[in-house]
Amino acid sequence: EKEMMKPTMGMPRQVPTSTIFSVILEAGPSARHLAQTEQLEATLKNDFSMYATPQENSQREIALGRLSAVVNDWVRQVTSNKGYATTLAEQAGAKVLTFGSFRLGVHSGSSDIDAVVVVPNYVSATDFFNELYSLLQGRSDVEELATVTEAFVPIMVAVEAFAFAFI
């Protein structure tokens, strides 16, 4: 395969080409396209409030921090309850990863936060839907809580006190 240089946002990048496909556009965006993009973003932000404000983004970060703290405490509790060594239980944890519009930075003020919780392999779906559900249900900052256990990818939806969802 032959390598070609393709500018990407002002930075050259190696793009493989072959007889099966070729690069449609080798040049970066034109000045006209950049201006149109800026105009579209300004219209979406100013005329339609399609982007979250810094305050709304701060609230989302706070909610994710709270969720992460609850989930990590829960994983430590599950680890201990399953009989693992105290040192392992103290070191156990989980990771909350966001995806969707929030992760891409294209969310509005009323958008939810899509997140997946990655836990150790010994934490079961039953632990998730029973113990974590109970922990979240008992929190004063969680207004609504629902589970969808029959879904292909089981989910839990919670609405925080400042009225947006994290999944």
Side-chain angles (χ1 to χ4, degrees), residues 74-101:
W74 163 69
V75 167
R76 285 189 280 277
Q77 179 183 349
V78 168
T79 304
S80 179
N81 291 348
K82 290 188 182 253
Y84 288 93
T86 304
T87 54
L88 180 62
E90 291 170 354
Q91 295 173 0
K95 187 78 172 169
V96 177
L97 304 172
T98 59
F99 61 97
S101 62

Side-chain angles (χ1 to χ4, degrees), residues 2-18 21-30:
K2 179 177 134 188
E3 296 287 320
M4 288 183 52
M5 294 295 290
K6 176 188 174 194
T8 306
M9 300 297 280
M11 303 295 290
R13 188 177 98 189
Q14 295 291 328
V15 177
T17 59
S18 70
F21 72 91
S22 64
V23 176
I24 296 172
L25 180 64
E26 293 182 10
S30 68

Side-chain angles (χ1 to χ4, degrees), residues 124-139:
S124 70
T126 303
D127 298 326
F128 179 79
F129 286 114
N130 292 339
E131 295 174 30
L132 181 58
Y133 181 88
S134 293
L135 284 172
L136 290 171
Q137 192 176 37
R139 292 182 57 92

